[in-house]
Amino acid sequence: MLWEFLVPPSQMGQAARTVVEARDYQLTFADGTKAIDLTSGLWNVNFGYGNPFVAERIEKVIRECHYATLFRSSHPAAHEVAERLLAHLDMSEAALVFSTSGSALNDVMVKLALQWNSLLGRHARTVVSIQGSYHGMTLNSMKLSGENLGQAVYGAHSANFVHLPLDDVEAWKQFFQTRGNTVALVVLEPVLGSGAIPLSNDVLNVIFEARKQYGFLIGADEVAMGLYRLGTIAASFDWKESADLLGFSKGLTNGTAASSVLVVSNTVAEVFIQQDSVFMHGETQAGSPVACAAILGVLDFLDSANIQEQYHQLESRVSLDLEHLARKYHLSRRGMGLFQYLGWGDADSFESDALSGSLGADYFRSRGISIQPSLEGIQIIPAITMPISIWDEAVRNLHAAFEELTTRGTK
């Protein structure tokens, strides 16, 4: 059998959850159901399924594809990606490390930060992240995650990995006062991908001040929020100070290839360069020609499109429509940009028991919309390039779905 991720064996292979076609902004499932995708392919497909710029790049390279590893070698496309992506970020003096997924990327971030500290003669080994955060499923990424992923079963607990509250300024101040000189790295999601909860600016200010005092690195996990999900190529660019390390995946290839990159600031990279120190990491498929072609296709598209204008047009409509839904059906709402959450919590106006986890995803899918289930709610993450007409259809489907639930709940 095919072993699917994150579902019990009893739920594997269901036709209602088997995607047989993805085109533009719509999914077709094996049971014949069609649904507008409001998850952007688990927030990978920022620019629509079958994006012609990405498809053209991949089609061209796949017919003459060579196996070009970055183990002690390179190839022109990888250099082109580094040059063009860093230019888009206005970080031309930075360095680019390839990886193959968001999970692997965060492993790379932790390892590089620990080695950087060691090269400077610092003995700091503590890595800090947010309670409730999600950074992936490799062992270091599970340690980094502040969400319950069954870490104890896999031995993915470590006293060197600390999780602090999202918005508790005093907890952060107290932690730095007692353990600040042990900190090697603080890793932050600009918005928590699990639950769409924005990071507190007050906590950010405490972290920035502590970095000045203790000299640790700050890593921005841009896997979910990067590539214009919040209106800029890197959501952390809206912070008052820059991150030292930035990690991108998902939208980086528009969901077409297993790839990620870690952007290493010039000041961090210079420590390795001055000591001519080998970074002990390598993945045989990282920076492959196909992955690089996909990234270059995304960059071609961004060069051709006014993506920020498209973002603002859709974001304003999404904000208005979700606010109306929240008021009409007594839902809570949070999130930023095109990463939003609607929750029912204690609402008793409709039958919410039928909406837990995958059951909720099934309910909305059967009514023409694919959403991401979340704790006592749903996450709505439309593609940045989704036409307003398709979004309008999705909103009508959302209204109909909540109206039906309200009718059930009042009988």
Side-chain angles (χ1 to χ4, degrees):
M1 70 175 184
L2 171 65
W3 201 302
E4 299 175 14
F5 296 143
L6 302 180
V7 293
S10 61
Q11 295 184 23
M12 293 178 186
Q14 294 186 8
R17 298 176 189 168
T18 302
V19 178
V20 295
E21 183 180 56
R23 181 172 297 180
D24 297 329
Y25 306 94
Q26 182 176 267
L27 302 172
T28 302
F29 295 85
D31 66 351
T33 300
K34 295 182 182 295
I36 297 171
D37 186 7
L38 294 185
T39 74
S40 295
L42 204 59
W43 44 98
N44 280 264
V45 189
N46 288 0
F47 313 115
Y49 292 105
N51 183 288
F53 290 88
V54 179
E56 182 178 339
R57 280 279 192 170
I58 292 175
E59 287 170 358
K60 183 177 180 181
V61 75
I62 204 77
R63 295 184 180 278
E64 51 192 43
C65 184
H66 56 103
Y67 176 72
T69 176
L70 296 183
F71 270 73
R72 302 184 181 89
S73 62
S74 62
H75 57 91
H79 287 277
E80 185 180 355
V81 166
E83 180 180 348
R84 289 184 59 188
L85 181 57
L86 292 175
H88 267 269
L89 294 165
D90 196 23
M91 297 177 67
S92 295
E93 299 302 312
L96 201 72
V97 180
F98 277 97
S99 188
T100 53
S101 71
S103 296
L105 162 73
N106 286 317
D107 261 9
V108 174
M109 187 184 294
V110 169
K111 289 172 61 180
L112 189 138
L114 293 176
Q115 186 171 343
W116 178 82
N117 276 268
S118 178
L119 290 173
L120 290 176
R122 301 179 75 240
H123 300 293
R125 306 292 297 174
T126 303
V127 179
V128 188
S129 58
I130 301 287
Q131 290 176 2
S133 62
Y134 175 83
H135 298 282
M137 290 293 193
T138 59
L139 287 180
N140 266 343
S141 297
M142 289 180 80
K143 293 175 186 177
L144 192 60
S145 295
E147 184 178 342
N148 181 7
L149 304 173
Q151 285 92 336
V153 174
Y154 306 106
H157 276 304
S158 170
N160 289 333
F161 286 75
V162 177
H163 310 100
L164 296 177
L166 178 80
D167 55 2
D168 189 336
V169 170
E170 291 306 315
W172 284 85
K173 286 182 177 179
Q174 183 176 357
F175 172 79
F176 285 126
Q177 287 170 2
T178 57
R179 294 184 60 181
N181 60 355
T182 74
V183 177
L185 173 68
V186 176
V187 180
L188 305 168
E189 294 177 279
V191 174
L192 263 67
S194 297
I197 307 173
L199 189 61
S200 161
N201 284 326
D202 291 336
V203 166
L204 270 174
N205 291 337
V206 171
I207 294 169
F208 291 141
E209 288 303 310
R211 176 172 63 174
K212 293 173 186 174
Q213 182 175 355
Y214 299 109
F216 54 77
L217 298 181
I218 296 176
D221 180 346
E222 297 274 2
V223 170
M225 301 302 150
L227 280 297
Y228 296 95
R229 178 57 55 196
L230 302 186
T232 54
I233 192 167
S236 60
F237 282 179
D238 290 334
W239 297 349
K240 77 171 189 177
E241 294 186 23
S242 299
D244 303 289
L245 307 169
L246 293 89
F248 297 91
S249 188
K250 292 188 182 291
L252 182 68
T253 68
N254 203 42
T256 59
S259 188
S260 58
V261 294
L262 180 67
V263 179
V264 183
S265 67
N266 180 51
T267 54
V268 175
E270 272 298 313
V271 173
F272 287 81
I273 293 168
Q274 289 172 3
Q275 300 192 35
D276 202 24
S277 180
V278 175
F279 175 43
M280 294 304 294
H281 185 83
E283 301 167 56
T284 55
Q285 292 291 331
S288 72
V290 172
C292 288
I295 298 170
L296 291 171
V298 167
L299 295 175
D300 290 345
F301 171 74
L302 293 177
D303 286 341
S304 74
N306 190 339
I307 194 64
Q308 287 183 312
E309 181 179 342
Q310 292 183 63
Y311 165 85
H312 287 298
Q313 287 179 351
L314 182 60
E315 189 275 335
S316 63
R317 287 293 297 273
V318 168
S319 180
L320 286 171
D321 289 335
L322 294 187
E323 188 61 32
H324 178 64
L325 275 163
R327 287 198 307 270
K328 183 173 182 179
Y329 299 106
H330 308 289
L331 306 170
S332 60
R333 177 175 166 245
R334 63 173 180 257
M336 292 179 67
L338 296 178
F339 204 100
Q340 296 285 335
Y341 167 94
L342 290 174
W344 34 85
D346 298 327
D348 56 5
S349 58
F350 57 78
E351 186 182 295
S352 59
D353 288 346
L355 298 180
S356 61
S358 59
L359 291 176
D362 292 344
Y363 172 82
F364 285 99
R365 188 186 305 113
S366 67
R367 284 147 183 85
I369 36 181
S370 178
I371 54 83
Q372 173 69 7
S374 190
L375 181 63
E376 296 186 311
I378 60 175
Q379 293 183 190
I380 296 175
I381 307 108
I384 298 158
T385 54
M386 178 176 284
I388 296 296
S389 60
I390 295 178
W391 169 252
D392 287 343
E393 182 182 351
V395 171
R396 288 193 293 271
N397 292 347
L398 281 167
H399 270 287
F402 281 118
E403 191 67 40
E404 180 182 339
L405 288 165
T406 301
T407 302
R408 287 186 196 174
T410 55
K411 285 183 178 179

